[in-house]
Amino acid sequence: MMALAFRAQVGTGAKVLIPGFVISGTQFKTSIIRGVGPTMKSTLPAAVSDPKITLYSGSTVIATNDDYESSPDIPELLFHTNRIGLSPLLAGSKDAAMLVRLAPGAYTVKLEGSADAPEGLALIELYEAE
C-alpha cells in the first residue's frame, strides 16, 4: 500500500500547501486523500479548525471537499478507511476527505484553511485504497 503524509502550517491565499503525486502504470487507482486539522486538536491545539482540500489534474479541478461527512461517497470512504486501518476522523469534525478513482498521471492537492478559521497546522494524507 502506498501512503504519503505532510504536516505544515496552512492558511489561505499564498499560505496553502500544494503537494504533488504521480499515479504510474496503466491501471486506475482508488485513493483516499485527507486534510486533517480538527481531529488533531486534542494533541495539537494549533491545528487548523476547518481545512479544505482540492484535487487537480493540471489546472482542472477533479474533486473538492470541505467537510468529509458531507461527501456523497461517505459510506465507501468509511469502509476503505476502516479496511486499510486508518485512524478515524472525529464524527462531526470539519476535517476534509475524499475517495477518488484516478487514472495514471500527475496530480496536485491544495490544502487550505477556511475564511472563518484561516490558519493553523494541518496534515495532508494520501493512501492507496485498493
Side-chain angles (χ1 to χ4, degrees):
M1 177 179 85
M2 183 270 305
L4 183 65
F6 298 97
R7 188 181 95 173
Q9 180 77 19
V10 300
T12 58
K15 297 180 181 179
V16 301
L17 176 62
I18 307 175
F21 63 97
V22 174
I23 306 266
S24 60
T26 59
Q27 302 296 314
F28 278 73
K29 299 282 184 187
T30 300
S31 301
I32 295 173
I33 303 170
R34 305 195 314 178
V36 184
T39 292
M40 301 188 304
K41 282 260 188 207
S42 65
T43 57
L44 194 61
V48 69
S49 297
D50 189 5
K52 176 183 177 182
I53 54 176
T54 305
L55 174 65
Y56 294 87
S57 174
S59 61
T60 303
V61 173
I62 302 297
T64 190
N65 184 266
D66 186 19
D67 294 330
Y68 83 98
E69 290 178 317
S70 68
S71 176
D73 58 359
I74 189 71
E76 190 176 2
L77 174 64
L78 294 176
F79 168 79
H80 285 290
T81 296
N82 292 331
R83 186 184 59 75
I84 63 177
L86 301 182
S87 58
L89 299 174
L90 294 175
S93 76
K94 292 190 172 284
D95 292 297
M98 61 177 70
L99 182 72
V100 289
R101 187 156 170 80
L102 300 173
Y107 299 90
T108 56
V109 181
K110 180 169 74 172
L111 172 62
E112 61 189 321
S114 71
D116 295 335
E119 293 193 21
L121 290 169
L123 180 66
I124 189 154
E125 303 172 326
L126 172 65
Y127 300 97
E128 189 176 317
E130 320 184 299

